[in-house]
Each structure stands twice: as structure tokens, then as C-alpha cells.
Amino acid sequence: MLACAALAATAQAPAPYLDESLPADVRIEDAIGRMTLDEKIAMIHAQSKFSTPGCPRLGIPEIWMSDGPHGVRVEFTWDDWMWAGWTNDSCTAMPALTCLAATFNPDLAERYGEVVGSEARFRKKDIILGPGVNIYRTPLSGRNFEYMGEDPHLASTMVVPYIKGLQSNGVAACLKHYVLNNQEHDRDRVNVVVDERALNELYLPAFKAGVTRGKVWAVMGSYNKYRGTYCSHNDTLVNDILKKQWGFDGVFITDWGSAHDTREAALNGLDIEMGSWTNGLTWGESNAYDNYYMARPLRNLIAAGELDEKLVDDKVRRILRLCLRTNMNRNRPWGAMHTDSHLAAAREVAREGIVLLKNDKDFLPLKSGGKIAVIGENAVKVLSIGGGSSELKPKTEISPLQGIRDRFGDENVLFSLGYASGAPDYSRELPSPYDADSLREAAIATARMADAVLFVGGLNKNFSQDCEGDDRTSFSLPFGQDALIADLLAVNPRMAVVIVSGNAVDMPWQAKVPAIIQSWYLGSMGGAALADIVSGDVNPSGKLPFSIPARLEDCAAHAFGERAYPGVNGNVHYDEGLLVGYRWHDTRRIAARYPFGHGLSYTTFGYSAPRLDRKVYMPSDTITVSLTLSNKGSREGSETVQFYTSQKKPRLPRPAKELKSFCKTRLKAGESRVIEVRIPVADLAYYDDSLRRWVLDEDEFTIHVGASSADIRGKVSFRVAPGMALNTDIQ
């Protein structure tokens, strides 16, 4: 009996790789030691459009992924891009990441991530393919709405809490697209030529923050090339910077179809290959996934002795570490779907992200009682669908028209379509089914009958608008909107224009319109949030995360001809270097139509002169800067105080100023509060590409405190001494 009991106990003892009491590294190495080469190879490439197979023999589960970053995407069939037709794959559509960035509120970024992570967990996903932090370089880029604006400090500050909130659900965030995916046009062919200063000071910081501070569990490569090598298996970017210098211990994944070479993929840090054969099994192959670069071709190179199996072991090691954090973590929460708290979070992000660009003579908020004419297709168009991989199937989406009607009453709201686009399509523009002249005449007649007009237009998520796969073809509003706005103004000048977009647009009518709102793709509660702002129930507090130029050629990427955008002979040259966005406008003294950080309120704020805790700092110190912010108006509101720095005599050229901190503060009418931020002196360093390291000069610096990059309310200077070279990021 005792012997039988001992045998039973032995049989029930878990294998070391399944023993949760053992350290993760011990479990991982034990599992790797039990796997065959074929089992390892299977784990490093797709088995379907959105999954990898795990190792069934050892009980290691599949990894299931879903597109993000604004919510959990619809379910697809196993092997193609057709919707699966499920009835339980809807979600809460969160506002686009441009809107989140416009909140300048890191606490909301964490809440946003928590919502997406909770719904992903409920839908049994292990990785959400987001967030995106590629820098906004040109307003034509089709995917800017998925990113966090033009400034690396803003993107870095907002992405870290997003990642932490999402991963708190036991679901991996996948930071994308690493790196230099700043245009969609020719994205899978173009080679980016950029100097090391711009790479390190502008394009890498948000990724670095996501890895080193956010502790992200997955990173996705981009389609484009850098130094002639595709970014998804680029030795410098992946092995040297991401994994060695930043210490990334997670999984590096291709974008769908961004792998191009077996040997490079194996040697240069790619861990999971997805989407290389976009038709998968439907080609009639017995298993087309075995033909991936990191499938049978890699196994053959190892069998021939040309590559070491240890390369695969490292990839599997990272995948198993991901599994222990996600689908093998028994303690992760269960998640939830489309709850009241999720909808409340979506509405709060939308409210705080909406930017009031112009408001002459306090035209807004609109008063109750009069007739409001809502005109424009975007007032009724479903905008969570479309745009490419960030498309969503929302269970709820309140349109702007519905939100305005709910707030002001059906009897007080007139509507006319005004213009119309074609149906959403990811590969081509489809014509509108309606007669443009008839729509225009009906809209003019509607505007004549109203006390105020609310034009809701802008872009949409159709091809060549805000959409993955290619860029916009024009800076102007599409579908004849500029001419329509002029016609409406002629019959009713009491008009507010609401621009729904993820990009800057031209505004030839700007001087004649009393009020302009930069709205975004606001998700499930977008119409309610817009009504909150238009009615004055909520005081606007959003700030622009990118500059809006007066002309396209005033944007740096368009000032150097085709070689800088969209590229010539397969190369796009970032000739503007560091001068992207407000850095360009400020340094070259080219005024933006609306500058980075701009956003009005229904109240007014006063700034005292900024104060420092001292006048001389050592490189290891932290600067404490403070001021008193006062609400001088008659209603409660929030203001984002922005802190920019400049250097008097840098050894290498620097932008006129750069954002280093910001603080969003809510004040009651008449209230004053001391605002205090801390800026590490090390953050004042610049990257010296000749030395290949970060350098901090002994010099005089100035902190500029403003309500935007162009609206500076005060400044204070100090010295840094002595100079020193900081630790290098690239050896």
C-alpha cells in the first residue's frame, strides 16, 4: 500500500516546466530541453491568421492575438481576412490614440489600457497588437490616427501607463511599428535614410520608454527598411538596440508579411513570424504555414549545419516567458466586456481629447432653445469600421447627430447630409451613390432655417483618407467640403466646424468660421462626448498632439521635395533631421495655423512667473520648476501647462525648444494652485552622432512655460555645470 501511494504521488507530481512554485527561468529551460526541433520551429511562426500553435504535447497553449490598439478587433476565419460571422465579437470602441494623446492625461492612458486589456482577456486574447507610437511626420500619413502625435516626450509619457494598464489584465501589449513607419505609401518597400541624431532623439524614445519603463511584453516590427535592411529583421535595431541596449526580454513579432529572408530573420532577432503567406491554407498547400521563412526553410538550414539551433532556443525562450505572463498565468483576471465603466472611460477620453481650436466671441457653447442644423456625413457615418487593422465592431456607437439630438432635443435639431463618400474599402476609393448637387442644395436650405449650424466633416477611414495601406493624396478636405462650407457660410455665418480626423487638414475657411473643433475618431461614446463639449456641459481641455500647418509645404517633410516625401528610387530622406512638427515651425520661424499643444477652454487661465529651486545644477540633479496657475473665469476647467527647454550655445545645432514635461490640472472658478514639475537634468542631453553617445553641455538653459508651443507665458534660465558625456545608447 505504501509503495502504491508513493507511486501515485510521483505520478501526480507536475513536470518542472509546469511547477508554478519554481522560478520562471527554471521552468522555461526545462520545457526547452523537452522539445524537439520541429516543436520549437512550430512555435515561432503562425498556424492561422492570428495564432501560433504552442506545443500541444507538453500542454503549452496556443497564443492568440488580436489587432488593436483602440479595442479588440472582430474575429476572422482561420485562414483568410473574412469576418467569421460571430455574434459575440463586438467590443467597446475606444477613441483613436490621437485623441488619447490630445488629453495630455497619463492617468486616462492607464485607464484606456485597462479597458482594452480587460476586453481582450474576456475575448481570450493573449496579445493585443498595439499601441502605436510612430512619430507624426507628415499630415498625409494614412495611419497617424493610430499614433500619439509628433513629440517623443508626449508619446513616451502616454504610452507607458497604457501598456501597464493593458498588461495588468495578463494580456501582452505589442508596441508597434518598430521603427520609422512614418508613412503608409510604399511602406513595404521604402528605405528610410535618417541620421542617428534624429533616430535617437525623435523616433526611438517612445519605443524605449515602452520597453524600459512600461516593461512591454511584445514589440512588432515595421514594413519599411532602415540602412537597406527590413526593420523586422534588422540587426542594429533589434539585436543591438532593442534587445541588448534596452534589455527587452519579450517577443519580437513581424507585422503581417514583413519578413523577407530566413537567414536574416533567424540571426537578427525575429521571434515570431506572422502573415507572410496572406492566403495561408487556401492556396491548397497541405500546410502553407510550413513555408514561412522561419518554418521549414529555417529547419533545413539548421539540419544542414548552416545555423545553430540555439538561435531557435532563444526565440522559444522568449515565447515561453510570454506564455508564463499570459496564457499560463493562472492568476490573471477574467476580464469583462462592454461594461458601464468601459463606456464611461471611452466617454471621458473623448471629452478630454476634443480640442477647441477657435471660439470667436464665445460662439460656443451653443445655447439651448434655438434650432441647430447638423450638416455633414461624419455626423452619421459609422467611423469605428474602416481604416485597416484598427477597425472595430462596436456594440455601441453614438453618432454626433444622435449625441446632439439627445442633448438638445429632436425637435430642435435639423439634419442634412451635405456631402457623401463611398463605402469603406481598404484598397481603393469607391464613388458616392448620391448626387453631390442635390445634397449641397438640401444642406443650404437646412442651414437657412437654423439659428446655428454645426458642420461635422473632415476625413474618414476610407482608402486614401485615414486608412492603413496608403497615404492621403491631398491636404484639403475631400468630397467637396471646402466649397460646401463656403456655401453654408454665405446663408448662415453662425457656424461651428467640427473636423473629424486623425490628421491635420487645410482650412481655407478658417478666418470666416466663428468656431472650430478638432474632433477625432471618438469611438463608442463619441457623439455623447461631442455633445458634452458643444453644449458646455463639459469644458474642453484637449491640446493638439501635432501642429496644424497653414500650408502643406510649411510642414518639414514637404519642404525638401520628393526625396523627403514620398521618396525617390525607393529611398525617403529625412532631410529635416530633428526639425519635425513644432521644432520645425519654431526653429525656422514658420508660424503654424494652430501650434502643437494648442487648445482653448470656456474659461481663462493665468500663469505666474515660473520659479526654480536653484540656478545651477549638476548633471545628476533634478530641476524643480513651479508656478501658480489660476482659473480667472467663471467656470471650472482644466489646463495643461507645458514645459519646454532650450540651450543657449549648444555645440551641435538644436531645435529652438523641446517639450520636457507637462502637467494637466483641474481648477474651480477663481481657484489658484501651485504647479510643480521635476525635470532630470540628464533629459537636457542631445545625441552626438559623431561620438555615438548622449552629451550634456556645460551651458545656460531656459525653461519656457506655455499654454502651447507658441503661447509662452513665462520663462526662467539656469546653468548646468560641469559638462559631461552621458552613458551611450549605441556603442
Side-chain angles (χ1 to χ4, degrees), residues 3 57 73 122 225 384 393-394 399 473 503 554 659 707 727:
R57 181 177 65 85
R73 197 178 184 187
F122 185 87
K225 301 175 187 176
S384 292
K393 181 184 174 183
S399 70
T473 57
N503 264 308
D554 289 345
L659 184 72
N727 290 333

Side-chain angles (χ1 to χ4, degrees), residues 383-696:
L383 289 169
S384 292
I385 296 174
S389 62
S390 67
E391 68 166 357
L392 297 172
K393 181 184 174 183
K395 188 171 183 178
T396 299
E397 183 168 343
I398 298 175
S399 70
L401 178 61
Q402 186 61 53
I404 296 298
R405 281 178 168 165
D406 289 345
R407 174 58 181 80
F408 290 93
D410 287 353
E411 69 279 6
N412 295 317
V413 179
L414 311 173
F415 173 68
S416 186
L417 196 61
Y419 72 92
S421 63
D425 192 284
Y426 300 155
S427 60
R428 59 195 175 114
E429 288 187 87
L430 297 177
S432 168
Y434 303 109
D435 178 72
D437 289 337
S438 298
L439 293 178
R440 171 182 166 276
E441 292 302 323
I444 291 172
T446 302
R448 282 197 177 101
M449 295 186 289
D451 297 295
V453 176
L454 192 65
F455 182 86
V456 185
L459 307 179
N460 59 37
K461 292 185 179 178
N462 291 9
F463 185 75
S464 82
Q465 299 299 312
D466 283 329
C467 185
E468 180 182 358
D470 212 334
D471 292 339
R472 298 166 61 195
T473 57
S474 172
F475 188 44
S476 300
L477 288 178
F479 320 122
Q481 290 177 75
D482 290 330
L484 176 59
I485 291 172
D487 290 341
L488 296 173
L489 284 168
V491 300
N492 193 336
R494 290 184 50 77
M495 180 191 297
V497 173
V498 178
I499 297 297
V500 178
S501 74
N503 264 308
V505 301
D506 196 12
M507 301 179 184
W509 32 261
Q510 182 260 352
K512 298 180 181 179
V513 174
I516 305 172
I517 289 174
Q518 174 62 53
S519 180
W520 316 97
Y521 303 110
L522 296 179
S524 286
M525 301 301 289
L530 180 62
D532 290 337
I533 298 297
V534 169
S535 67
D537 292 345
V538 172
N539 198 343
S541 63
K543 299 282 188 175
L544 283 176
F546 53 73
S547 308
I548 299 180
R551 307 175 304 161
L552 184 61
E553 53 266 38
D554 289 345
C555 172
H558 298 270
F560 295 93
E562 290 186 2
R563 62 177 266 125
Y565 178 85
V568 175
N569 297 325
N571 296 299
V572 57
H573 296 259
Y574 286 20
D575 290 331
E576 74 279 6
L578 297 172
L579 303 184
V580 171
Y582 70 87
R583 289 165 167 81
W584 169 264
H585 290 286
D586 290 354
T587 306
R588 294 296 180 92
R589 298 183 180 180
I590 301 170
R593 187 185 296 278
Y594 291 109
F596 172 87
H598 171 74
L600 303 178
S601 171
Y602 295 150
T603 188
T604 57
F605 295 95
Y607 290 58
S608 74
R611 305 173 293 274
L612 297 175
D613 55 334
R614 53 183 175 231
K615 287 293 185 180
V616 179
Y617 296 90
M618 301 296 289
S620 59
D621 290 338
T622 296
I623 304 160
T624 300
V625 56
S626 60
L627 69 140
T628 301
L629 181 69
S630 302
N631 184 344
K632 297 183 174 298
S634 59
R635 60 177 297 164
E636 187 176 25
S638 297
E639 172 71 331
T640 298
V641 181
Q642 300 156 48
F643 298 83
Y644 301 83
T645 63
S646 64
Q647 183 177 345
K648 186 174 183 180
K649 294 180 179 179
R651 189 169 52 83
L652 296 179
R654 303 192 73 171
K657 60 180 180 290
E658 300 168 289
L659 184 72
K660 296 300 179 183
S661 188
F662 57 85
C663 180
K664 189 167 191 175
T665 303
R666 190 167 187 82
L667 297 176
K668 296 178 182 178
E671 183 183 4
S672 296
R673 189 178 304 169
V674 174
I675 305 301
E676 184 176 280
V677 301
R678 292 173 175 81
I679 302 172
V681 174
D683 286 359
L684 307 179
Y686 58 87
Y687 189 84
D688 186 331
D689 47 359
S690 65
L691 300 175
R692 307 196 77 183
R693 65 188 182 197
W694 291 87
V695 172
L696 180 62

Side-chain angles (χ1 to χ4, degrees), residues 39-151:
E39 287 172 333
K40 295 174 187 177
I41 291 289
M43 289 186 70
I44 65 175
H45 64 80
Q47 67 168 355
S48 74
K49 275 288 173 281
F50 285 97
S51 71
T52 59
C55 183
R57 181 177 65 85
L58 297 181
I60 296 168
E62 300 169 323
I63 294 174
W64 280 91
M65 311 174 194
S66 176
D67 275 315
H70 308 136
V72 190
R73 197 178 184 187
V74 66
E75 296 294 335
F76 288 85
T77 56
W78 183 267
D79 200 54
D80 59 35
W81 294 109
M82 300 296 293
W83 285 20
W86 292 15
T87 58
N88 61 347
D89 58 347
S90 58
C91 69
T92 301
M94 297 297 286
L97 287 190
T98 42
C99 180
L100 178 62
T103 70
F104 278 69
N105 187 336
D107 292 337
L108 270 186
E110 183 167 9
R111 190 174 174 194
Y112 188 121
E114 288 171 352
V115 171
V116 175
S118 177
E119 299 205 351
R121 176 69 185 100
F122 185 87
R123 290 266 300 278
K124 297 181 171 57
K125 305 303 179 185
D126 305 305
I127 303 176
I128 278 290
L129 304 174
V133 290
N134 294 100
I135 292 296
Y136 183 113
R137 180 176 177 258
T138 164
L140 300 187
S141 180
R143 217 162 178 181
N144 278 336
F145 71 98
E146 290 187 52
Y147 302 144
M148 295 189 181
E150 71 187 26
D151 182 75

